[in-house]
Amino acid sequence: MTDWENLLLAYRKAAVGKRGRWAAAHFEHRLADRLLGLQSELLDGSYRPGGYRHFMIREPKRRKISAAPFGDRVVHHALCNVIEPLFEARFHPHSYANRTGKGTHAAVDRLQTLARRYRYVLRMDIRQHFASLDHAVLRAELAPVIADDRVMGLVDVILAGGAGVLADQYDMVYFNGDDLLAAERPRGLPIGNLTSQFWSNCYLNPFDWFVARELGCKAYLRYVDDFALFADRPAKLWEWQRHIVERLAALRLAAHPVVQVMPVTQGIPWLGFVVFPTHRRLKRRNVINFRQRLSGRLDDYQAGRISFAELDASVKGWVNHVRYADTWGLRRHVFGSMAPIRGPGRGRSIQSGSASTPSAP
């Protein structure tokens, strides 16, 4: 894990899309010295994470994001470079979040494929997911796979550095056999860490295989804490739901009380889309949020705070996402009604999510 090549690769991954920011540029200014310093600290066991910077986001729901110092993000990548392949081979094939070759759009494709094969769907999610993840349960899942005690020591250091970060986002849940000391159990993974995203999959991997093997559900998928099971009889799905609540409790997790068993023909809310067997729609909230963001970005461009390229890139990112639904008419409506954009330079226009050539000033 501390090989120079691995640390250099970790830096490059951590810097993707961030080289223009102060933290990444400051680290790069004396790159060799900083990587050698991290290498020395990791080898002698003196490495300790820095403090987090916290901020709130409200899309798609209100969440507290914790940003680690850039050097710590390099360490996270160095660790995951080495241990992730060990766990990837063990992961359920239909866990889609934060995995190479998976992702949001693959999860939407899988959901629609299952909606075409089965009549009913059970949708569930986990209450306060990242804030609920119990460190002892997670460590019990990681330790049998990670043979190097020094690497497990680093895992413990990173876990301890994030303990309590989401304490204000967690409402205590007591499970069978708990006493009052259960409230003191270390829990919570900072939302924003690469390690948190990866460890979330490790934590829930036994649950994925429980659904597939013990419940015998062949039509299942999960994206972070959202998961869906399909069957042709609602009674079967409600039976599975009871077992799922019990299995999650064994992992010290609580299912969200809102549970949906519904015909697939009603449309399944999933990752910002509403998925039908025959087509997909974009959630109305997604359109409203984009219009608000676009208005803000236009103001920034016209005030000279961002370039046209930055404005265009944000629009293209949204279009690349929503094109996975039947949104051609929506895109034409959104962008067709826009007047040419006037900024510090020449007027320009955006058409269906991409920049056209400059128009007359």
Side-chain angles (χ1 to χ4, degrees):
M1 194 194 74
T2 57
D3 285 353
W4 174 259
E5 291 79 6
N6 186 51
L7 292 173
L8 186 59
L9 175 63
Y11 157 73
R12 289 170 177 161
K13 288 184 175 181
V16 170
K18 299 178 175 65
R19 295 189 68 182
R21 299 183 184 177
W22 183 89
H26 180 70
F27 193 94
E28 186 177 11
H29 177 60
R30 297 176 56 193
L31 179 60
D33 290 342
R34 298 188 193 283
L35 290 181
L36 287 171
L38 283 178
Q39 184 183 55
S40 177
E41 292 176 5
L42 292 168
L43 286 171
D44 65 21
S46 64
Y47 167 77
R48 294 295 180 272
Y52 288 93
R53 178 176 57 86
H54 307 290
F55 57 94
M56 302 299 297
I57 64 170
R58 290 168 174 79
E59 295 179 24
K61 57 185 177 182
R62 190 173 184 273
R63 293 185 298 170
K64 180 180 180 180
I65 306 299
S66 303
F70 187 82
D72 291 342
R73 282 176 263 167
V74 173
V75 172
H76 298 166
H77 277 280
L79 174 64
C80 290
N81 285 347
V82 174
I83 68 173
E84 188 171 351
L86 304 176
F87 289 91
E88 180 64 33
R90 294 166 167 79
F91 283 164
H92 189 279
H94 295 301
S95 162
Y96 284 88
N98 308 305
R99 296 177 65 190
T100 302
K102 304 288 185 178
T104 302
H105 300 134
V108 172
D109 288 343
R110 166 71 174 171
L111 188 88
Q112 187 171 52
T113 295
L114 294 176
R116 290 168 174 166
R117 297 176 181 172
Y118 296 89
R119 296 172 59 195
Y120 295 92
V121 61
L122 164 66
R123 274 203 62 229
M124 297 180 67
D125 67 323
I126 297 169
R127 179 177 169 271
Q128 299 174 333
H129 172 61
F130 280 100
S132 300
L133 296 179
D134 187 276
H135 290 192
V137 174
L138 174 61
R139 197 181 189 286
E141 185 64 25
L142 299 177
V145 183
I146 300 174
D148 191 318
D149 290 340
R150 294 173 301 171
V151 176
M152 273 308 302
L154 176 62
V155 169
D156 290 335
V157 166
I158 295 173
L159 281 174
V165 165
L166 293 179
D168 59 341
Q169 307 293 305
Y170 178 70
D171 299 320
M172 183 62 198
V173 177
Y174 289 93
F175 299 95
N176 288 338
D178 280 353
D179 55 24
L180 293 178
L181 292 177
E184 304 302 318
R185 293 176 68 102
R187 63 174 61 82
L189 299 180
I191 301 174
N193 277 5
L194 173 70
T195 48
S196 299
Q197 299 167 7
F198 169 56
W199 286 341
S200 169
N201 280 337
C202 296
Y203 198 110
L204 286 175
N205 191 51
F207 170 76
D208 294 334
W209 289 111
F210 162 80
V211 172
R213 292 171 174 169
E214 297 186 42
L215 295 187
C217 178
K218 307 299 183 185
Y220 165 78
L221 74 160
R222 177 176 62 81
Y223 191 94
V224 191
D225 61 325
D226 290 302
F227 51 93
L229 294 78
F230 290 78
D232 286 324
R233 294 186 298 113
K236 173 57 71 175
L237 293 173
W238 284 118
E239 177 189 346
W240 285 344
Q241 184 265 345
R242 292 191 293 272
H243 291 299
I244 284 171
V245 170
E246 294 172 359
R247 185 67 181 91
L248 288 176
L251 294 170
R252 305 192 63 80
L253 299 173
H256 195 279
V258 177
V259 178
Q260 295 176 305
V261 172
M262 54 192 289
V264 297
T265 52
Q266 288 186 5
I268 309 165
W270 187 249
L271 303 180
F273 299 95
V274 181
V275 181
F276 297 82
T278 55
H279 62 286
R280 307 169 187 175
R281 292 177 181 167
L282 195 65
K283 278 189 174 180
R284 181 173 179 270
R285 182 185 64 196
N286 191 306
V287 180
I288 294 173
N289 289 341
F290 172 71
R291 285 182 180 274
Q292 292 172 344
R293 289 198 307 272
L294 179 60
S295 177
R297 298 296 276 177
L298 286 172
D299 289 344
D300 288 341
Y301 170 66
Q302 290 166 347
R305 291 187 290 266
I306 64 172
S307 67
F308 183 77
E310 290 174 297
L311 170 64
D312 194 38
S314 66
V315 172
K316 285 180 177 176
W318 183 77
V319 170
N320 187 55
H321 174 63
V322 304
R323 69 184 177 86
Y324 285 86
D326 300 288
T327 57
W328 176 244
L330 170 67
R331 283 179 277 159
R332 290 188 65 185
H333 173 73
V334 169
F335 298 113
S337 60
M338 291 175 58
I341 300 169
R342 306 283 177 180
R346 304 177 66 192
R348 297 168 183 253
S349 63
I350 293 179
Q351 299 175 351
S352 299
S354 61
S356 72
T357 55
S359 58

